[in-house]
Amino acid sequence: MKVRGLDQLEALRDRLQRERDEQAARAAALVEKAAREQQERTAFAQAVGPVQRLRDRGRAQLVRPRPAAHPHQRERDEREAMREALSDEVDFESLLLTDDGLSFRRAGIGPDVPARLRRGQWALQGEIDLHGLTRDAARERLVAFLREAHRRGQRCVRVVHGKGNGSPGRQPVLKDKVQRWLAQRNEVIAFAQASGAQGGAGALLVLLAPIPSK
């Protein structure tokens, strides 16, 4: 590098000095780090005491992936709570109020509500089909459906339980049980058998309680 003038010479000198200072600082940092690591190793060795290396048995150290966490116990508890909350043995006659067709209304609900429900005064906002499910599976699905529908603020839903045309003796398997389960849910304030166009004897129209205003 050719230097032209005193100013360039001084600038070159300053740059070389900065590079030397930086190299010295890096070297000092490395020395300090090595000394600190040595102190840590010494302190660890003194704390642990004498050790003996294990004999190499030629075994590979395999790290198996762990399965993802799954709340099995919580699910079992929830299923058990559902079974206890919805009994098949409830005295349904004490819960069922009848008008011209199969219907239910909770205390404090006007006697005309089931009829108005059946006539379609409330627009359907959801539906669940329990065809082909076992009793326990149908109960769990129904509880989850009602809880979610109520959480969303839905007021009128349809529950299809089937007419039993494909069942032994052509008797509906879930119909009576679904009626009992619905009558035990606090979200349900009324239900009525669906009209022919809405499923007839194979479905129920269910009126859910409004979400309390905050």
Side-chain angles (χ1 to χ4, degrees), residues 48-100:
V48 173
V51 296
Q52 182 178 359
R53 183 181 295 275
L54 295 176
R55 183 165 58 89
D56 186 2
R57 300 178 181 272
R59 296 178 179 176
Q61 298 295 326
L62 301 179
V63 179
R64 296 183 175 87
R66 295 184 177 182
H70 190 80
H72 293 289
Q73 185 59 49
R74 188 183 68 187
E75 291 180 350
R76 286 193 291 268
D77 292 343
E78 290 178 351
R79 286 195 295 268
E80 185 62 29
M82 288 181 186
R83 283 191 289 269
E84 293 176 355
L86 297 182
S87 171
D88 293 340
E89 305 303 325
V90 65
D91 181 6
F92 189 63
E93 294 302 323
S94 66
L95 299 173
L96 187 65
L97 302 176
T98 59
D99 50 13
D100 294 337

